[in-house]
Amino acid sequence: MKKIALLFIAALMVFSLFSCGNDKDILESTKTEKTVLMTVDGFDVPLELYRYVALNSKADYEASRGGSADIWLGESGAALIKEINAHINDIILTMYTTRSLAAKYGISPEDEYIKDTVDILMDNVYEGYGYDYIAYKNDLGAVNMTDSVYRFITANDLLAEELYAKLIESGEILSGEDELRGVINSDEFVRVKQILLTSENGNTDEENLALAQKLLDKLAHGDSFEDLVQKYGKDLYMFNNDNGYYICRGNRYEEFEEAAFSLEVGEVSGIIKTPAGYSIIKRYEKDSDYITENFEDLCEEYKKGKYNLILEEHKATITVEPTDEMKNYSIFNLDSID
């Protein structure tokens, strides 16, 4: 009887392990995870999505500042907390801007095509884990994600694709060859080169700023912009590249674009600070042969930029509204939430 009992217990344990690993119900979000912390244009934002954005943003902030949690202490820490909260809200606002604008064009995550495609894509992910939902859930947990958040992001990508196609169909994003050629040859496109100084060269922010000023002085005294790009620049795309960048608005940092489009051909900018580092930009005459050879790529540059500008314009019309539940959570207590 004892032997039979032990065999039964062993069999039960095997069954338990098997059923847990292959029980899809374990992916269901908890009631706490579903708690609505804010709304964006009428869309509910659950705690699990906020947690994903907040904890990963917090990790990024700490990693970029030496990897210490001490950055949140003192007066400077208080200012940084305010900054990261605004950053988190902006990321969430951007996510829901896609949903909000898609809805205005009659596109919904509940559309049959979207739902079916999400199910297919998610099943491909599950299959990659051999339908071991425990392993899958553990990997998601390592990046502060849940299955529902993964599904949300997957659906958002599909909504963006459908919205992009709808904007082209409506003519809000130009698609005709003659129209696009006109845009590329107009002042909506400029050709620039840049000297980029980043922390990757081992310099501090202050040292890079001082170096940028030194390079401006060299340019003022007649040094070649191209030579300084090759000697000091940290933009890999610029090395041994005589073409530089052909850019339109909507695809790069706003500060970079504002500077580039403010220049006349042959003119050099001042020092531009972006999240990438410090830049000095020079505008060049466009090359018709380059445009002909790279026409399709330049068309895609325009279309993506225009799409981003349309999203930004809509984003400016909606806001993040916290619920009463929001007061119970901060970037410092999200780790303890089950």
Side-chain angles (χ1 to χ4, degrees), residues 92 114 152 161 163 184 200 224 301 323:
I92 291 172
I114 301 289
F152 173 91
E161 291 176 9
L163 177 59
I184 294 166
E200 293 177 7
S224 163
E301 175 88 1
T323 66

Side-chain angles (χ1 to χ4, degrees), residues 151-181:
R151 282 180 171 272
F152 173 91
I153 293 172
T154 302
N156 238 37
D157 288 343
L158 293 171
L159 288 170
E161 291 176 9
E162 292 296 297
L163 177 59
Y164 181 73
K166 183 70 74 173
L167 290 169
I168 290 177
E169 180 186 326
S170 69
E172 292 171 79
I173 297 177
L174 301 178
S175 59
E177 181 175 337
D178 291 341
E179 293 174 316
L180 292 170
R181 197 172 296 278

Side-chain angles (χ1 to χ4, degrees), residues 101 112 181 186 285 289:
L101 188 56
E112 185 175 354
R181 197 172 296 278
S186 75
E285 192 76 56
D289 289 338

